[in-house]
Amino acid sequence: MISTDPFPTKLPIGTESPAVADWDHFLKAFFGTDPLPPSTLQAVFEPLRQMSDNSMMVIAQIGQTLDGRIATVTGQSKYINGQDGLVHLHRLRALVDAVVVGVETAITDDPLLTVRLVNGQSPARIVIDPRGRLASNAKVWQQDGVRKIWVTSEDQAVFAPPEVENLALPLTDGQIDPKNLLQRLQQIGISRVLIEGGAKTVSGFLQAKCLHHLHLIVAPIVMGSGRPSFELPPILHMDQATRMSTSTHVLGNDVLFACNLRKDSLVL
Ligand SMILES: NC(=O)c1ccc[n+]([C@@H]2O[C@H](COP(=O)([O-])OP(=O)(O)OC[C@H]3O[C@@H](n4cnc5c(N)ncnc54)[C@H](OP(=O)(O)O)[C@@H]3O)[C@@H](O)[C@H]2O)c1
């Protein structure tokens, strides 16, 4: 049956669905300069197009439960989101130059961070690991020809595995400044960045006002315990909370909150 809604909110997914052809067409158009034809994909992903050739685009993605958890108390998070949510994540990966994770995610999940569920190129893989804790046999370091960057503190000597570049940055109050990191990435040709977790890493970018977009995918699950999606300094009043301009989209049983943070972002 053909939908009469010109902008249906349900993202069609699945390897056997016509969305595969839609996606391939959309992906090609996304990196071109022509306006994107109206479609479900355009409605969700058009805001992620860069404003100009030399501008940055920084998006964070989180998959959480109804009660705002991204992992169990033991750190297990596979899988909170359903297949549609996972496809959405792989689409995001295909639209960026690089995906960034904190070292806890790289250790706990041992993720590949490649594009597998949709067509598209796998982005560079970047791990923020100030103390150089990540093992050389971590899957993110697999030798597949994709660019890999190990972001460490400049005080920490590391021996980078084959194919892995080391980007050593100063610490400010024990932290790598997200803005400094983004500027350094831009200098080496990386201007579309997906911050994929975990909570500490995404929160650091949010607190530093270094995000243009946040895609929060909420699954109909209650964990009742576990790790929260964000770890930010306490606030006393609701007017201190970050309110987001958002659109919502149905992803199977999950709901995507596509939040636009551009007006507050300090990153150009
Ligand atoms: N549901 C989801 O969408 C999702 C996505 C990703 C991960 N996860 C889950 O999240 C959990 C891990 O999250 P997490 O919050 O514990 O850790 P995380 O964000 O993965 O990693 C945090 C660590 O990375 C380093 N780091 C990150 N940003 C830094 C900065 N700006 N400056 C200095 N160091 C920085 C620090 O390493 P040091 O500790 O060495 O200083 C920090 O403790 C896992 O259980 C994983 O399964 C869930």
Side-chain angles (χ1 to χ4, degrees), residues 225-238:
S225 60
R227 312 220 175 151
S229 311
F230 298 96
E231 295 184 22
L232 294 165
I235 57 164
L236 298 178
H237 301 288
M238 274 311 295

Side-chain angles (χ1 to χ4, degrees), residues 63 70 75 77 103-105 109 130-131 133 175-176 198-201:
I70 60 156
S77 62
V103 63
E104 279 300 332
T105 294
D109 296 357
R131 294 181 280 159
R133 295 194 283 135
Q175 293 297 299
I176 288 166
K200 287 189 186 127
T201 303

Side-chain angles (χ1 to χ4, degrees), residues 61-65 69-78 80-81 89 100-109 127-133 151 170-172 174-178 181 196-205 217 227-229 231:
Q61 184 284 154
I62 287 179
Q64 70 164 50
T65 60
R69 314 283 179 170
I70 60 156
T72 65
V73 285
T74 57
Q76 213 225 325
S77 62
K78 287 179 182 165
I80 289 174
N81 294 118
L89 173 59
V100 174
V101 292
V103 63
E104 279 300 332
T105 294
I107 292 172
T108 311
D109 296 357
V127 181
I128 308 181
D129 182 14
R131 294 181 280 159
R133 295 194 283 135
V151 180
L171 296 182
T172 310
Q175 293 297 299
I176 288 166
D177 176 4
L181 170 57
E196 208 180 296
K200 287 189 186 127
T201 303
V202 170
S203 300
F205 277 78
I217 307 175
R227 312 220 175 151
S229 311
E231 295 184 22

Side-chain angles (χ1 to χ4, degrees), residues 129-140:
D129 182 14
R131 294 181 280 159
R133 295 194 283 135
L134 189 59
S136 58
N137 63 353
K139 286 189 189 141
V140 284

Side-chain angles (χ1 to χ4, degrees), residues 111-180:
L112 288 165
L113 301 181
T114 54
V115 177
R116 301 184 300 283
L117 299 182
V118 296
N119 284 335
Q121 280 200 339
S122 288
R125 302 188 285 272
I126 300 176
V127 181
I128 308 181
D129 182 14
R131 294 181 280 159
R133 295 194 283 135
L134 189 59
S136 58
N137 63 353
K139 286 189 189 141
V140 284
W141 295 156
Q142 68 166 316
Q143 295 180 52
D144 56 359
V146 172
R147 195 170 190 183
K148 295 168 275 291
I149 302 175
W150 197 6
V151 180
T152 57
S153 151
E154 60 187 10
D155 302 327
Q156 180 69 51
V158 290
F159 186 70
E163 284 191 6
V164 178
E165 300 165 45
N166 179 217
L167 178 58
L169 296 178
L171 296 182
T172 310
D173 298 330
Q175 293 297 299
I176 288 166
D177 176 4
K179 195 169 182 205
N180 186 26

